[in-house]
Each structure stands twice: as structure tokens, then as C-alpha cells.
Amino acid sequence: MKSRPPSHARHLLVVDDDDRIRELLKTFLTRSGFRVTAASGAEPARRLIDALDFDLAVLDVMMPGEDGLSLVAWLRSRPGRPGRLPVLMLTARNEPGDRIEGLRRGADDYLAKPFEPEELVLRVEAILRRAAEEPANGGSGLSLGPCVFDPGRGELVRDGRPIRLTEAEVSLLRRLARSPHEPVERRDLIQADVDPSGRAIDIQVTRLRRKIETDPRSPRYLQTVRGIGYLLAPD
């Protein structure tokens, strides 16, 4: 049976091959009230994920052997709680394409090195807040063609089979589900302290359309409202 952290201490997994950075991350986050377990690479991280329950993972992109992008893709392929584990990716790269690739693989947010410890903590807390959000419209299911989304459970089913969602995707669907058939402004969807550019929202929408729509290039249920934002149009 998996060990569980005390209810008051959210359990974070930190994965970085650099000993100094890994210890600094552990120190910053522990001082902020988190319970932290660290791993030096993807292989020990996999073993920890199989043995323990975590509330969020902080993954370095650049690691020898298996990198963070591959590890987050593996996470998203896992059933149950591990498959929905929120992920914050750390990257020393400056190219936007690397950060976008992380989001496409299923990361919830990214943070470029070097970073301020306070920003790291704020981003972690913002992701955890989104993961803990309760929907305003209860637990009734919304019909989206072959799919049904249950906001209360944060679950998406397609043709009777569960579809894996990241916590960021659940949060986005829940927000849109609060006002179906009504456009939601981009500024209301963007978490300003996490992604002021809004690029992460666009990537999450693209990922969700692949899971929901029959033809993602011509969306029926998750629509773009030009100049405003997005709307969810259940049956």
C-alpha cells in the first residue's frame, strides 16, 4: 500500500540530476511548508511514483538519459492518480518551443532557470489551487457528442471509456462548464501569476479538442470565439 503524507503537508516530488539545484529546491519548498521527496533522475522518480502518493511533481527538462519531457509523457500514460499528477517543468532553455513541447506532453506549467525561489513557490501553489478547485455546477455530466464530462469528479468518458486528463485540462473544462454556451474571456482563463501570455491556455485547448472532438480542426464542442476567448457547447 502506498504511503500517504499528513493531510496538512502537500507532498511534492522534485526530480533534477544536479545535486546542488535539487537540494536548493528541496530547501525552498520545505521551508514553505511542503513535504518534499527528491530524485536524481527519471528511473528513481518512476520508482517513487509507484511507491508513494504525490500532490505535484517538479521536473527538470534537461537530464542525462531520460529527460523530463519523456518522464511527463510516461506520467500521462499512467492510469489513475499518477496520470493526473500536476507537473511543473524546469528548463534552462530560452527557446519558446521547448516550453511549448513540455505543455504539449502534459505539463501544467513551466519555469525557466534561473528563477527566484518565491516565484517557484507561487507557481507551485497556483497549480495546486487549480487542482483543488471545486466546480460551481455540481457533479452533473455534460454531453459532448461521444464524450461525457463530469465536473464534480473531473472525469471525461468517451464511448464509455475514461479519457486521461491533466489537472490543467480538468481546471479549464470546469471553468468553461460553469457557463455553457457562453464565451469565457481569455483573461478569465489565464492564471496571471502562472502564464500571463495565455499560450498555455491555447495548448490545453488544442489537447482537449483532440480528446473531445470528432474533427479537432473543426471543433463543435470546444469553440473559439474570436476576439473574446473560448466556449463549451454541450449537447
Side-chain angles (χ1 to χ4, degrees):
M1 180 178 294
K2 290 185 176 183
S3 302
R4 294 193 62 85
S7 59
H8 64 279
R10 292 164 294 180
H11 194 185
L12 310 186
L13 172 64
V14 170
V15 186
D16 197 305
D17 65 296
D18 187 308
D19 294 342
R20 184 182 64 86
I21 294 178
R22 190 171 63 251
E23 287 305 311
L24 285 173
L25 289 169
K26 188 173 182 178
T27 298
F28 296 153
L29 294 167
T30 300
R31 287 177 178 172
S32 297
F34 298 105
R35 179 185 173 194
V36 182
T37 300
S40 60
E43 184 176 349
R46 288 173 187 256
R47 293 196 296 267
L48 287 168
I49 290 166
D50 285 339
L52 302 171
D53 279 334
F54 294 99
D55 296 290
L56 181 141
V58 179
L59 308 181
D60 186 30
V61 171
M62 296 296 293
M63 294 187 293
E66 184 179 1
D67 62 16
L69 295 175
S70 177
L71 183 56
V72 75
W74 173 81
L75 261 176
R76 293 300 173 239
S77 72
R78 302 281 288 170
R81 181 182 174 93
R84 290 181 53 188
L85 181 67
V87 172
L88 171 64
M89 302 209 72
L90 303 179
T91 175
R93 302 178 181 179
N94 296 320
E95 296 84 355
D98 296 318
R99 299 192 293 270
I100 291 170
E101 182 61 24
L103 294 170
R104 284 177 176 160
R105 296 284 186 103
D108 294 87
D109 193 19
Y110 57 83
L111 182 60
K113 298 177 182 178
F115 53 82
E116 292 294 330
E118 185 177 1
E119 183 180 7
L120 169 69
V121 173
L122 287 173
R123 285 177 182 262
V124 166
E125 290 178 343
I127 295 172
L128 290 171
R129 281 198 305 272
R130 294 204 306 268
E133 281 182 349
E134 291 295 334
N137 63 342
S140 59
L142 295 176
S143 176
L144 306 166
C147 298
V148 175
F149 176 62
D150 184 333
R153 295 179 178 272
E155 294 176 350
L156 180 69
V157 175
R158 185 183 181 101
D159 295 325
R161 296 190 300 273
I163 303 297
R164 295 188 184 94
L165 298 175
T166 68
E167 290 296 348
E169 291 167 349
V170 171
S171 178
L172 178 58
L173 273 179
R174 280 176 169 171
R175 175 62 188 88
L176 293 169
R178 291 174 190 167
S179 51
H181 301 288
E182 296 181 7
V184 180
E185 295 187 14
R186 287 175 59 83
R187 65 183 179 184
D188 291 338
L189 296 173
I190 295 170
Q191 298 289 332
D193 58 341
V194 173
D195 179 38
S197 72
R199 182 58 173 155
I201 293 297
D202 298 332
I203 293 172
Q204 301 299 344
V205 167
T206 298
R207 287 173 53 87
L208 280 171
R209 282 174 174 163
R210 292 174 185 156
K211 298 176 180 182
I212 293 173
E213 303 286 352
T214 302
D215 181 2
R217 293 171 298 180
S218 181
R220 155 70 177 83
Y221 298 102
L222 185 45
Q223 301 177 11
T224 299
V225 182
R226 293 188 180 279
I228 300 178
Y230 297 101
L231 70 79
L232 193 65
D235 295 320

